[in-house]
Amino acid sequence: MTMLSDCIRAFLVGGLICLIGQALIDRTGLTPARILTGFAVAGVVLGALGLYEPLVRFGGAGATVPLTGFGWRVAEGVRGAVAQRGVLGALTGGAEAAAGGITAAVCSGALAALLSRPEEKG
């Protein structure tokens, strides 16, 4: 039963984040690029205020997979690295914390490019 409730909570949190993104697209003049950037910054800000960690504990992948989770993860990596290595950690911590997600995105994109057949539109 725990796995099912974890899935439901992840769906609810991730769905709410996506709902906010869709509402921003539908109701504002913001471009998708600005919305995505805003989500990453929101993850950093909410993490700095201590508000994103409880969301991650409740929603699991529903909170860590969207772009807000990426911003939170980078900020957490910087915070931990600064605590361990001082000012140098501010330059390296974010990249170390996000390396897994970035690697997965690059590998998935490369695999999709190799397996697909590009066609011209128009």
Side-chain angles (χ1 to χ4, degrees), residues 19-116:
L19 178 69
I20 292 168
Q22 189 64 50
L24 289 171
I25 289 170
D26 291 345
R27 308 242 181 232
T28 69
L30 294 173
T31 63
R34 287 186 179 181
I35 293 169
L36 293 174
T37 303
F39 271 16
V41 171
V44 171
V45 171
L46 291 172
L49 296 174
L51 301 174
Y52 207 77
E53 179 74 31
L55 190 63
V56 169
R57 276 187 264 124
F58 175 78
T64 58
V65 171
L67 206 49
T68 49
F70 177 78
W72 169 76
R73 176 68 61 206
V74 169
E76 288 296 308
V78 169
R79 184 184 324 206
V82 167
Q84 288 180 353
R85 290 176 255 162
V87 176
L88 183 61
L91 302 173
T92 61
E96 289 175 6
I102 293 169
T103 301
V106 169
C107 291
S108 298
L111 183 62
L114 289 172
L115 297 177
S116 65

